Each structure stands twice: as structure tokens, then as C-alpha cells.
Coordinates of all heavy atoms in Angstrom, one line a residue:
M415 N 218.7 154.8 90.5 CA 217.7 154.2 89.6 C 217.1 155.3 88.7 O 216.7 156.3 89.2 CB 216.6 153.5 90.5 CG 215.5 152.9 89.7 SD 214.5 151.9 90.7 CE 213.1 152.9 90.9
T416 N 217.1 155.0 87.4 CA 216.5 155.9 86.5 C 215.0 155.8 86.4 O 214.5 154.6 86.4 CB 217.1 155.7 85.1 OG1 218.5 155.8 85.2 CG2 216.6 156.7 84.1
Q417 N 214.3 156.9 86.4 CA 212.8 156.9 86.3 C 212.4 157.4 85.0 O 213.2 158.0 84.2 CB 212.3 157.7 87.5 CG 212.8 157.2 88.8 CD 212.5 158.3 89.9 OE1 211.7 159.2 89.7 NE2 213.0 158.1 91.1
T418 N 211.1 157.4 84.7 CA 210.6 158.0 83.5 C 210.5 159.5 83.7 O 210.0 160.0 84.7 CB 209.2 157.4 83.2 OG1 209.3 156.0 83.2 CG2 208.6 157.9 81.9
P419 N 211.0 160.2 82.7 CA 210.9 161.7 82.8 C 209.5 162.2 82.7 O 208.6 161.5 82.3 CB 211.8 162.2 81.6 CG 211.9 161.1 80.7 CD 211.7 159.8 81.5
P420 N 209.3 163.5 83.0 CA 207.9 164.1 82.9 C 207.4 164.1 81.5 O 208.2 163.9 80.6 CB 208.1 165.5 83.5 CG 209.6 165.8 83.3 CD 210.3 164.5 83.4
N421 N 206.2 164.6 81.4 CA 205.6 164.6 80.0 C 206.3 165.5 79.1 O 207.0 166.4 79.5 CB 204.1 164.9 80.1 CG 203.8 166.3 80.7 OD1 204.5 167.2 80.5 ND2 202.7 166.4 81.5
A422 N 206.1 165.4 77.8 CA 206.8 166.0 76.7 C 206.7 167.6 76.8 O 207.7 168.2 76.4 CB 206.4 165.5 75.4
N423 N 205.6 168.1 77.3 CA 205.6 169.6 77.3 C 206.4 170.2 78.4 O 206.5 171.4 78.4 CB 204.1 170.1 77.3 CG 203.4 169.6 78.6 OD1 203.9 168.9 79.4 ND2 202.1 170.0 78.7
R424 N 207.0 169.4 79.2 CA 207.9 170.0 80.2 C 209.4 169.5 80.1 O 210.2 169.7 81.0 CB 207.4 169.5 81.6 CG 206.0 170.1 81.9 CD 205.5 169.6 83.3 NE 206.5 169.7 84.3 CZ 206.4 169.1 85.4 NH1 205.3 168.4 85.7 NH2 207.4 169.2 86.4
L425 N 209.7 168.9 79.0 CA 211.1 168.4 78.8 C 212.0 169.5 78.5 O 211.7 170.4 77.7 CB 211.1 167.3 77.7 CG 210.4 166.1 78.0 CD1 210.4 165.2 76.7 CD2 210.9 165.3 79.2
P426 N 213.2 169.5 79.1 CA 214.2 170.6 78.9 C 214.9 170.3 77.5 O 214.9 169.3 77.0 CB 215.2 170.4 80.0 CG 215.1 169.0 80.5 CD 213.6 168.6 80.2
V427 N 215.5 171.4 77.1 CA 216.3 171.4 75.8 C 217.7 171.9 76.1 O 217.8 172.9 76.9 CB 215.6 172.4 74.8 CG1 216.5 172.5 73.5 CG2 214.2 171.9 74.4
L428 N 218.7 171.2 75.5 CA 220.0 171.7 75.6 C 220.3 172.6 74.4 O 220.0 172.1 73.3 CB 221.0 170.6 75.6 CG 221.0 169.7 76.9 CD1 222.1 168.6 76.7 CD2 221.3 170.4 78.1
V429 N 220.8 173.8 74.5 CA 221.1 174.7 73.4 C 222.6 174.8 73.3 O 223.2 175.3 74.3 CB 220.4 176.0 73.6 CG1 220.7 176.9 72.4 CG2 218.9 175.9 73.7
N430 N 223.2 174.4 72.2 CA 224.6 174.6 72.0 C 224.8 176.1 71.8 O 224.3 176.7 70.9 CB 225.0 173.8 70.7 CG 226.5 173.9 70.5 OD1 227.1 174.9 70.6 ND2 227.1 172.7 70.1
L431 N 225.6 176.7 72.7 CA 225.8 178.1 72.7 C 226.7 178.6 71.5 O 226.6 179.8 71.2 CB 226.4 178.6 74.0 CG 225.5 178.4 75.2 CD1 226.2 178.9 76.5 CD2 224.2 179.0 75.0
S432 N 227.4 177.7 70.8 CA 228.1 178.1 69.6 C 227.3 178.0 68.3 O 227.3 178.9 67.5 CB 229.4 177.3 69.4 OG 230.3 177.5 70.5
T433 N 226.6 176.9 68.2 CA 225.8 176.7 66.9 C 224.3 177.0 67.0 O 223.6 177.0 66.0 CB 226.0 175.2 66.5 OG1 225.4 174.4 67.5 CG2 227.5 174.8 66.4
L434 N 223.8 177.1 68.3 CA 222.4 177.3 68.6 C 221.6 176.0 68.2 O 220.3 176.1 68.2 CB 221.8 178.5 67.9 CG 222.5 179.8 68.3 CD1 221.9 181.0 67.7 CD2 222.5 180.0 69.9
E435 N 222.2 174.9 68.0 CA 221.5 173.7 67.8 C 220.8 173.3 69.1 O 221.3 173.6 70.2 CB 222.5 172.5 67.4 CG 223.0 172.6 66.0 CD 224.0 171.5 65.7 OE1 225.2 171.7 66.1 OE2 223.6 170.6 65.1
R436 N 219.7 172.7 69.0 CA 218.8 172.3 70.1 C 218.7 170.8 70.2 O 218.5 170.1 69.2 CB 217.5 173.0 70.0 CG 217.6 174.5 69.9 CD 216.3 175.1 69.6 NE 215.2 175.0 70.6 CZ 215.1 175.8 71.7 NH1 216.0 176.7 71.9 NH2 214.2 175.6 72.5
F437 N 218.8 170.3 71.5 CA 218.7 168.8 71.7 C 217.7 168.6 72.8 O 217.9 169.0 73.9 CB 220.1 168.2 72.0 CG 220.0 166.8 72.2 CD1 220.1 165.9 71.1 CD2 219.9 166.2 73.5 CE1 220.1 164.6 71.2 CE2 219.9 164.8 73.6 CZ 219.9 164.0 72.5
L438 N 216.6 168.0 72.5 CA 215.5 167.7 73.5 C 215.9 166.6 74.3 O 216.3 165.5 73.8 CB 214.2 167.4 72.8 CG 213.0 167.1 73.6 CD1 212.6 168.4 74.4 CD2 211.8 166.6 72.8
L439 N 215.8 166.7 75.6 CA 216.1 165.6 76.6 C 214.8 164.8 76.7 O 213.9 165.1 77.6 CB 216.5 166.1 77.9 CG 217.9 166.9 77.9 CD1 218.2 167.4 79.3 CD2 219.0 166.0 77.4
D440 N 214.6 163.8 75.8 CA 213.3 163.1 75.8 C 213.4 161.7 76.2 O 212.4 161.0 76.1 CB 212.7 163.2 74.4 CG 213.6 162.6 73.3 OD1 214.7 162.2 73.6 OD2 213.2 162.5 72.1
G441 N 214.5 161.3 76.8 CA 214.6 159.9 77.3 C 215.1 160.0 78.7 O 215.4 161.0 79.2
P442 N 215.0 158.9 79.4 CA 215.4 158.9 80.8 C 216.9 159.1 81.0 O 217.3 159.5 82.1 CB 215.0 157.5 81.3 CG 214.9 156.7 80.1 CD 214.6 157.6 79.0
S443 N 217.7 158.9 80.0 CA 219.2 159.0 80.1 C 219.8 159.4 78.8 O 219.4 158.8 77.8 CB 219.8 157.7 80.6 OG 221.2 157.8 80.8
V444 N 220.7 160.4 78.7 CA 221.3 160.8 77.5 C 222.8 160.8 77.8 O 223.3 161.5 78.7 CB 220.8 162.2 77.1 CG1 221.6 162.7 75.9 CG2 219.4 162.2 76.8
T445 N 223.6 160.1 77.0 CA 225.0 160.1 77.1 C 225.6 161.1 76.1 O 225.0 161.3 75.0 CB 225.7 158.7 76.8 OG1 225.2 158.2 75.6 CG2 225.3 157.8 78.0
V446 N 226.7 161.8 76.5 CA 227.3 162.8 75.6 C 228.7 162.4 75.4 O 229.4 162.0 76.4 CB 227.2 164.2 76.3 CG1 227.9 165.3 75.5 CG2 225.8 164.5 76.7
G447 N 229.2 162.5 74.2 CA 230.6 162.2 73.9 C 230.9 162.2 72.4 O 230.0 162.4 71.6
R448 N 232.2 161.8 72.1 CA 232.6 161.8 70.7 C 232.2 160.5 70.0 O 232.0 160.4 68.8 CB 234.1 161.9 70.6 CG 234.6 163.3 70.5 CD 236.0 163.5 70.0 NE 236.8 162.3 70.2 CZ 237.8 162.1 71.0 NH1 238.2 163.1 71.7 NH2 238.5 161.0 71.0
G449 N 232.0 159.4 70.8 CA 231.8 158.1 70.2 C 230.4 158.0 69.6 O 229.5 158.6 70.0
P450 N 230.3 157.1 68.6 CA 229.0 157.0 67.9 C 227.9 156.3 68.7 O 226.7 156.4 68.3 CB 229.4 156.1 66.7 CG 230.6 155.3 67.1 CD 231.3 156.3 68.1
S451 N 228.2 155.7 69.8 CA 227.2 155.1 70.7 C 226.4 156.1 71.6 O 225.4 155.8 72.2 CB 227.7 154.0 71.5 OG 228.7 154.6 72.5
N452 N 226.9 157.4 71.6 CA 226.2 158.4 72.4 C 225.0 158.9 71.7 O 224.8 158.9 70.5 CB 227.2 159.6 72.6 CG 228.3 159.2 73.5 OD1 228.2 159.0 74.7 ND2 229.5 159.0 72.9
M453 N 224.0 159.4 72.5 CA 222.8 160.0 72.0 C 223.1 161.4 71.5 O 222.5 161.9 70.6 CB 221.7 160.0 73.0 CG 221.3 158.5 73.4 SD 220.0 158.5 74.6 CE 218.6 158.8 73.6
L454 N 224.0 162.1 72.2 CA 224.4 163.5 71.8 C 225.9 163.4 71.4 O 226.7 163.2 72.3 CB 224.2 164.5 72.9 CG 224.6 165.9 72.6 CD1 224.0 166.4 71.3 CD2 224.1 166.8 73.8
I455 N 226.2 163.3 70.1 CA 227.6 163.1 69.6 C 228.2 164.5 69.3 O 227.7 165.3 68.6 CB 227.5 162.2 68.4 CG1 226.9 160.9 68.7 CG2 228.9 162.1 67.8 CD1 226.6 160.0 67.5
L456 N 229.4 164.7 69.9 CA 230.2 165.9 69.7 C 231.5 165.5 69.1 O 232.6 165.8 69.7 CB 230.4 166.6 71.1 CG 229.1 167.0 71.8 CD1 229.4 167.6 73.2 CD2 228.3 168.0 71.0
D457 N 231.4 165.0 67.9 CA 232.7 164.4 67.3 C 233.6 165.5 66.7 O 234.7 165.2 66.4 CB 232.3 163.5 66.2 CG 231.4 164.0 65.1 OD1 231.0 165.2 65.2 OD2 231.0 163.3 64.2
S458 N 233.2 166.8 66.7 CA 234.1 167.8 66.2 C 234.8 168.5 67.3 O 235.7 169.4 67.1 CB 233.3 168.9 65.4 OG 232.3 169.5 66.3
D459 N 234.6 168.2 68.6 CA 235.3 168.8 69.7 C 236.3 167.8 70.2 O 236.0 166.8 70.9 CB 234.3 169.1 70.8 CG 234.9 169.8 72.0 OD1 236.1 169.8 72.2 OD2 234.1 170.5 72.8
E460 N 237.6 168.0 69.9 CA 238.6 167.1 70.3 C 238.9 167.0 71.8 O 239.7 166.2 72.2 CB 239.9 167.5 69.5 CG 240.5 168.9 69.9 CD 241.6 169.4 69.0 OE1 241.5 169.2 67.8 OE2 242.5 170.0 69.6
F461 N 238.3 167.9 72.6 CA 238.5 167.9 74.0 C 237.4 167.1 74.7 O 237.3 167.0 75.9 CB 238.5 169.3 74.6 CG 239.8 170.0 74.1 CD1 239.8 170.8 73.0 CD2 241.0 169.9 74.8 CE1 240.9 171.4 72.5 CE2 242.1 170.5 74.4 CZ 242.1 171.3 73.3
V462 N 236.5 166.5 73.9 CA 235.4 165.7 74.5 C 235.8 164.2 74.4 O 236.4 163.7 73.4 CB 234.1 165.8 73.7 CG1 233.0 164.9 74.1 CG2 233.6 167.3 73.8
S463 N 235.6 163.5 75.5 CA 236.0 162.1 75.6 C 235.0 161.2 74.8 O 233.9 161.7 74.5 CB 236.0 161.6 77.0 OG 237.1 162.3 77.7
N464 N 235.4 160.0 74.5 CA 234.5 159.1 73.8 C 233.1 158.9 74.5 O 232.1 159.0 73.9 CB 235.2 157.7 73.6 CG 234.4 156.8 72.7 OD1 233.9 157.2 71.7 ND2 234.3 155.5 73.1
Q465 N 233.2 158.7 75.8 CA 232.0 158.7 76.7 C 232.3 159.7 77.8 O 233.0 159.5 78.7 CB 231.9 157.3 77.4 CG 231.4 156.2 76.5 CD 229.9 156.2 76.2 OE1 229.1 156.4 77.1 NE2 229.6 156.1 75.0
H466 N 231.7 160.9 77.6 CA 232.1 162.1 78.4 C 231.2 162.3 79.7 O 231.7 162.4 80.8 CB 232.2 163.3 77.6 CG 232.9 164.5 78.2 ND1 234.2 164.8 77.8 CD2 232.6 165.3 79.2 CE1 234.6 165.8 78.5 NE2 233.7 166.1 79.3
A467 N 229.9 162.4 79.4 CA 229.0 162.7 80.5 C 227.7 162.0 80.3 O 227.4 161.6 79.2 CB 228.8 164.2 80.6
R468 N 226.9 162.0 81.3 CA 225.5 161.4 81.2 C 224.6 162.4 81.9 O 224.8 162.9 83.0 CB 225.4 160.1 81.9 CG 224.1 159.4 81.8 CD 224.1 158.0 82.3 NE 224.1 157.9 83.7 CZ 223.0 157.5 84.4 NH1 221.9 157.2 83.8 NH2 223.1 157.5 85.8
I469 N 223.4 162.7 81.2 CA 222.4 163.5 81.8 C 221.2 162.5 82.0 O 220.8 161.8 81.0 CB 222.0 164.7 80.9 CG1 223.2 165.6 80.7 CG2 220.8 165.4 81.5 CD1 223.0 166.6 79.6
Y470 N 220.6 162.5 83.2 CA 219.5 161.5 83.4 C 218.5 162.1 84.4 O 218.7 163.0 85.1 CB 220.2 160.2 84.0 CG 220.9 160.4 85.3 CD1 220.3 160.1 86.5 CD2 222.2 160.8 85.3 CE1 220.9 160.3 87.7 CE2 222.9 161.0 86.5 CZ 222.2 160.8 87.7 OH 222.9 160.9 88.9
W471 N 217.3 161.5 84.3 CA 216.2 161.8 85.2 C 216.1 160.9 86.4 O 216.2 159.7 86.2 CB 214.9 161.7 84.4 CG 213.6 161.9 85.2 CD1 212.8 161.0 85.7 CD2 213.1 163.2 85.5 NE1 211.8 161.6 86.4 CE2 211.9 163.0 86.2 CE3 213.5 164.5 85.2 CZ2 211.1 164.0 86.7 CZ3 212.7 165.5 85.7 CH2 211.5 165.3 86.4
A472 N 216.1 161.5 87.6 CA 216.0 160.7 88.8 C 215.5 161.6 89.9 O 215.8 162.8 89.9 CB 217.4 160.1 89.2
E473 N 214.9 161.0 90.9 CA 214.4 161.8 92.1 C 213.7 163.1 91.7 O 213.8 164.1 92.3 CB 215.6 162.1 93.0 CG 216.3 160.8 93.5 CD 217.5 161.1 94.3 OE1 217.6 162.2 94.8 OE2 218.4 160.2 94.4
G474 N 212.9 163.0 90.6 CA 212.1 164.2 90.3 C 212.8 165.3 89.6 O 212.3 166.4 89.4
G475 N 214.0 165.1 89.1 CA 214.8 166.1 88.4 C 215.8 165.6 87.5 O 216.1 164.4 87.4
W476 N 216.4 166.5 86.7 CA 217.5 166.1 85.8 C 218.8 166.3 86.5 O 219.1 167.2 87.2 CB 217.4 167.0 84.5 CG 216.3 166.7 83.7 CD1 215.1 167.3 83.7 CD2 216.2 165.6 82.7 NE1 214.2 166.7 82.8 CE2 214.9 165.6 82.2 CE3 217.1 164.6 82.3 CZ2 214.5 164.7 81.2 CZ3 216.6 163.7 81.3 CH2 215.4 163.8 80.8
W477 N 219.7 165.3 86.2 CA 221.0 165.3 86.9 C 222.1 165.1 85.8 O 221.8 164.6 84.7 CB 221.1 164.1 87.8 CG 220.2 164.2 89.0 CD1 218.8 164.0 89.0 CD2 220.6 164.5 90.3 NE1 218.3 164.2 90.3 CE2 219.4 164.5 91.1 CE3 221.8 164.8 91.0 CZ2 219.4 164.8 92.5 CZ3 221.8 165.1 92.3 CH2 220.6 165.1 93.1
I478 N 223.3 165.5 86.1 CA 224.5 165.2 85.2 C 225.6 164.6 86.0 O 225.8 164.9 87.2 CB 225.0 166.5 84.5 CG1 226.0 166.2 83.5 CG2 225.5 167.5 85.6 CD1 226.3 167.4 82.5
E479 N 226.3 163.7 85.4 CA 227.5 163.1 86.0 C 228.6 163.0 84.9 O 228.3 162.8 83.7 CB 227.2 161.7 86.6 CG 226.9 160.6 85.5 CD 226.6 159.3 86.2 OE1 227.1 159.0 87.3 OE2 225.9 158.5 85.6
D480 N 229.8 163.2 85.3 CA 230.9 163.0 84.5 C 231.3 161.5 84.4 O 231.2 160.8 85.4 CB 232.1 163.8 85.0 CG 233.3 163.8 84.1 OD1 233.3 164.4 83.0 OD2 234.3 163.0 84.4
L481 N 231.6 161.0 83.2 CA 231.9 159.6 83.1 C 233.4 159.4 83.0 O 233.9 158.7 82.1 CB 231.2 159.1 81.8 CG 229.7 159.1 81.8 CD1 229.1 158.7 80.5 CD2 229.1 158.4 83.0
N482 N 234.2 160.0 84.0 CA 235.6 159.8 84.0 C 236.3 160.4 82.8 O 237.2 159.8 82.2 CB 236.1 158.4 84.3 CG 235.6 157.9 85.7 OD1 235.7 158.6 86.7 ND2 235.0 156.7 85.7
S483 N 235.8 161.5 82.3 CA 236.3 162.1 81.0 C 237.7 162.6 81.3 O 238.1 162.9 82.4 CB 235.4 163.2 80.6 OG 235.4 164.3 81.5
S484 N 238.5 162.8 80.3 CA 239.8 163.4 80.4 C 239.8 164.8 80.8 O 240.7 165.3 81.5 CB 240.6 163.2 79.0 OG 240.7 161.9 78.7
N485 N 238.9 165.6 80.2 CA 238.9 167.1 80.5 C 237.8 167.6 81.4 O 237.6 168.8 81.5 CB 238.9 167.8 79.1 CG 240.1 167.5 78.3 OD1 241.2 167.8 78.8 ND2 240.0 167.0 77.1
G486 N 237.0 166.7 82.0 CA 236.0 167.1 82.9 C 234.8 167.6 82.3 O 234.7 168.0 81.2
T487 N 233.8 167.8 83.2 CA 232.5 168.3 82.9 C 232.3 169.4 83.9 O 232.6 169.2 85.1 CB 231.4 167.3 83.0 OG1 231.7 166.2 82.1 CG2 230.0 167.8 82.7
S488 N 231.7 170.5 83.5 CA 231.4 171.6 84.5 C 229.9 172.1 84.3 O 229.4 172.0 83.2 CB 232.4 172.7 84.4 OG 232.3 173.4 83.2
V489 N 229.4 172.6 85.4 CA 228.1 173.3 85.4 C 228.3 174.6 86.0 O 228.8 174.8 87.1 CB 227.0 172.5 86.1 CG1 225.7 173.2 86.2 CG2 226.8 171.1 85.5
D490 N 228.0 175.7 85.2 CA 228.2 177.1 85.7 C 229.6 177.3 86.2 O 229.8 177.8 87.3 CB 227.1 177.4 86.8 CG 225.7 177.4 86.2 OD1 225.5 177.6 85.0 OD2 224.8 177.2 87.0
D491 N 230.6 176.8 85.5 CA 232.0 176.9 85.8 C 232.4 176.2 87.0 O 233.5 176.4 87.5 CB 232.4 178.4 85.8 CG 232.3 179.1 84.5 OD1 232.6 178.4 83.5 OD2 231.9 180.2 84.5
Q492 N 231.6 175.2 87.5 CA 232.0 174.4 88.6 C 232.2 173.0 88.2 O 231.3 172.4 87.6 CB 231.0 174.5 89.8 CG 230.9 175.8 90.4 CD 229.9 175.9 91.5 OE1 229.1 174.9 91.7 NE2 229.9 177.0 92.2
I493 N 233.4 172.4 88.4 CA 233.6 171.0 88.0 C 232.6 170.0 88.7 O 232.4 170.1 89.9 CB 235.1 170.6 88.4 CG1 236.1 171.5 87.6 CG2 235.3 169.1 88.1 CD1 236.1 171.3 86.1
V494 N 232.1 169.1 87.9 CA 231.2 168.1 88.3 C 232.1 166.9 88.8 O 232.7 166.2 88.0 CB 230.2 167.6 87.2 CG1 229.4 166.4 87.7 CG2 229.4 168.8 86.8
S495 N 232.1 166.7 90.1 CA 232.9 165.6 90.7 C 232.0 164.5 91.2 O 232.4 163.4 91.5 CB 233.8 166.1 91.8 OG 233.1 166.7 92.8
A496 N 230.7 164.8 91.3 CA 229.7 163.8 91.8 C 228.4 164.2 91.0 O 228.3 165.4 90.5 CB 229.5 163.9 93.3
P497 N 227.4 163.3 90.9 CA 226.2 163.7 90.2 C 225.6 165.0 90.8 O 225.7 165.3 92.0 CB 225.2 162.5 90.5 CG 226.2 161.4 90.6 CD 227.4 161.9 91.4
R498 N 225.2 165.9 89.9 CA 224.7 167.2 90.3 C 223.4 167.5 89.6 O 223.2 167.2 88.4 CB 225.7 168.3 89.8 CG 225.2 169.7 90.1 CD 226.1 170.7 89.6 NE 225.4 172.0 89.7 CZ 226.1 173.1 89.7 NH1 227.4 173.2 89.7 NH2 225.4 174.3 89.8
K499 N 222.4 168.0 90.4 CA 221.1 168.3 89.9 C 221.2 169.5 89.0 O 221.9 170.5 89.3 CB 220.1 168.5 91.0 CG 218.7 168.5 90.6 CD 217.7 168.4 91.7 CE 216.3 168.3 91.2 NZ 215.4 168.1 92.3
L500 N 220.4 169.5 87.9 CA 220.4 170.6 87.0 C 219.2 171.5 87.1 O 218.2 171.0 87.6 CB 220.5 170.0 85.5 CG 221.8 169.3 85.2 CD1 221.6 168.6 83.8 CD2 223.0 170.2 85.2
A501 N 219.3 172.7 86.6 CA 218.2 173.6 86.7 C 218.1 174.5 85.4 O 219.2 174.6 84.8 CB 218.3 174.6 87.9
P502 N 217.0 175.0 85.0 CA 216.9 175.8 83.8 C 217.9 177.0 83.9 O 218.1 177.6 85.0 CB 215.5 176.3 83.8 CG 214.7 175.3 84.5 CD 215.7 174.8 85.6
G503 N 218.6 177.3 82.8 CA 219.6 178.4 82.8 C 221.0 177.9 83.1 O 221.9 178.6 82.8
N504 N 221.2 176.7 83.7 CA 222.5 176.2 83.9 C 223.3 176.1 82.6 O 222.7 175.8 81.5 CB 222.5 174.8 84.5 CG 222.2 174.7 86.0 OD1 221.6 173.8 86.4 ND2 222.5 175.7 86.8
V505 N 224.6 176.4 82.6 CA 225.4 176.2 81.5 C 226.4 175.0 81.7 O 227.1 175.0 82.7 CB 226.3 177.5 81.2 CG1 227.3 177.2 80.0 CG2 225.4 178.6 80.8
I506 N 226.2 174.0 80.9 CA 227.0 172.8 81.0 C 228.2 172.9 80.0 O 228.0 173.3 78.8 CB 226.2 171.5 80.6 CG1 225.0 171.4 81.6 CG2 227.0 170.3 80.6 CD1 224.0 170.4 81.1
K507 N 229.4 172.5 80.4 CA 230.5 172.5 79.5 C 231.1 171.1 79.5 O 231.5 170.5 80.5 CB 231.6 173.5 80.0 CG 232.8 173.6 79.0 CD 233.8 174.6 79.5 CE 235.0 174.6 78.6 NZ 236.1 175.5 79.2
V508 N 231.2 170.5 78.3 CA 231.8 169.3 78.0 C 232.9 169.5 77.0 O 232.6 170.0 75.9 CB 230.9 168.1 77.6 CG1 230.0 167.7 78.8 CG2 230.0 168.6 76.5
G509 N 234.2 169.2 77.3 CA 235.2 169.6 76.3 C 235.2 171.1 76.2 O 235.3 171.8 77.2
R510 N 235.1 171.6 75.0 CA 235.0 173.1 74.8 C 233.6 173.5 74.4 O 233.4 174.6 74.0 CB 236.1 173.5 73.8 CG 237.5 173.4 74.3 CD 238.4 174.2 73.4 NE 239.7 174.2 74.1 CZ 240.8 174.5 73.4 NH1 240.8 174.8 72.2 NH2 242.0 174.5 74.1
T511 N 232.7 172.6 74.4 CA 231.3 172.8 74.0 C 230.5 173.2 75.2 O 230.5 172.5 76.2 CB 230.7 171.6 73.3 OG1 231.6 171.2 72.2 CG2 229.4 171.9 72.7
K512 N 229.7 174.3 75.0 CA 228.8 174.7 76.1 C 227.4 174.7 75.7 O 227.0 175.0 74.5 CB 229.2 176.2 76.5 CG 230.5 176.4 77.1 CD 230.7 177.8 77.5 CE 232.1 178.0 78.2 NZ 232.3 179.4 78.7
F513 N 226.6 174.2 76.6 CA 225.1 174.1 76.4 C 224.4 174.9 77.5 O 224.8 174.8 78.7 CB 224.6 172.6 76.5 CG 225.2 171.8 75.4 CD1 226.3 171.0 75.6 CD2 224.5 171.7 74.2 CE1 226.8 170.2 74.6 CE2 225.0 170.8 73.2 CZ 226.1 170.1 73.4
R514 N 223.3 175.5 77.2 CA 222.4 176.1 78.2 C 221.2 175.2 78.3 O 220.7 174.8 77.3 CB 222.1 177.5 77.8 CG 221.2 178.2 78.9 CD 220.8 179.6 78.5 NE 220.1 179.7 77.3 CZ 220.5 180.2 76.2 NH1 221.7 180.8 76.1 NH2 219.8 180.2 75.1
I515 N 220.7 175.0 79.5 CA 219.4 174.3 79.7 C 218.2 175.3 79.6 O 218.2 176.2 80.3 CB 219.4 173.5 81.0 CG1 220.6 172.6 81.0 CG2 218.1 172.8 81.2 CD1 220.7 171.8 82.4
E516 N 217.3 175.0 78.7 CA 216.1 175.8 78.6 C 214.9 174.9 79.0 O 214.9 173.7 78.8 CB 215.9 176.3 77.2 CG 216.9 177.3 76.9 CD 216.7 177.9 75.5 OE1 215.8 177.4 74.7 OE2 217.3 178.9 75.2

């Protein structure tokens, strides 16, 4: 069950390590992928699936799950095979794109 995330002054940011673009996690759930229906669209990375991963707030923290993507999702170079809780400093890789959580 998705819950409401904490207040805005404590929301994490995903930083694209190649472009340094920043994406604020300001909703209870963020989908990542190439498709236009995602909240975080990575249409220039051909290794990202249409619906690749989901980052969501639950049980008092942020979690990530792979959405049966073709090339997988990893956190700190470990493949995500089940929902995994995230922490500041983690590096998330979807396709060939890497993000750090701040």
C-alpha cells in the first residue's frame, strides 16, 4: 500500500550522474521508463524499457522495484529482484542511466 511521503523539506532528489539533472521525488510513486506515461522519462537511453522501474513511498521509506524490464534495475551494482528500500547516497541504474539519491 502506498502512503503519503514526508513533508517537502525532506523529499529526496535523484541526480542524473551524466547530465546532473535533478528530479524531486514529490509524489507517493514515480515510474521510470522510456514511455511517455512515466513521470521520469528516459527516452534517450535505448537500454531502458517502456515501463522500467517504480520508486515509491511505503513503510516510512522510499523503495524501488523493477517492472520486469529487459535490462534490469540495480542499486549500488546489485540487481533488484524484489522491492528494495533506498537510502541517501545509493546509486540506481536503469538501462545505462545512473542516478544518485540525495
Side-chain angles (χ1 to χ4, degrees):
M415 179 167 105
T416 302
Q417 303 167 12
T418 303
N421 63 36
N423 62 357
R424 295 180 44 197
L425 294 176
V427 173
L428 294 180
V429 179
N430 183 316
L431 295 180
S432 295
T433 65
L434 299 181
E435 290 177 278
R436 300 169 66 81
F437 184 83
L438 180 67
L439 297 177
D440 60 356
S443 179
V444 174
T445 54
V446 181
R448 272 196 341 247
S451 64
N452 292 289
M453 297 179 80
L454 179 51
I455 300 170
L456 300 174
D457 55 0
S458 63
D459 186 339
E460 63 191 38
F461 293 91
V462 173
S463 295
N464 189 43
Q465 290 280 313
H466 198 103
R468 180 172 79 106
I469 300 170
Y470 61 96
W471 176 261
E473 299 175 23
W476 289 96
W477 295 74
I478 189 167
E479 67 178 335
D480 184 76
L481 299 176
N482 298 313
S483 67
S484 297
N485 294 305
T487 301
S488 66
V489 175
D490 297 334
D491 294 322
Q492 295 181 350
I493 297 294
V494 173
S495 57
R498 176 181 169 161
K499 193 168 187 178
L500 296 170
N504 284 148
V505 174
I506 298 168
K507 183 178 178 189
V508 289
R510 291 194 173 164
T511 305
K512 291 183 179 182
F513 295 94
R514 182 182 59 246
I515 300 176
E516 293 184 346

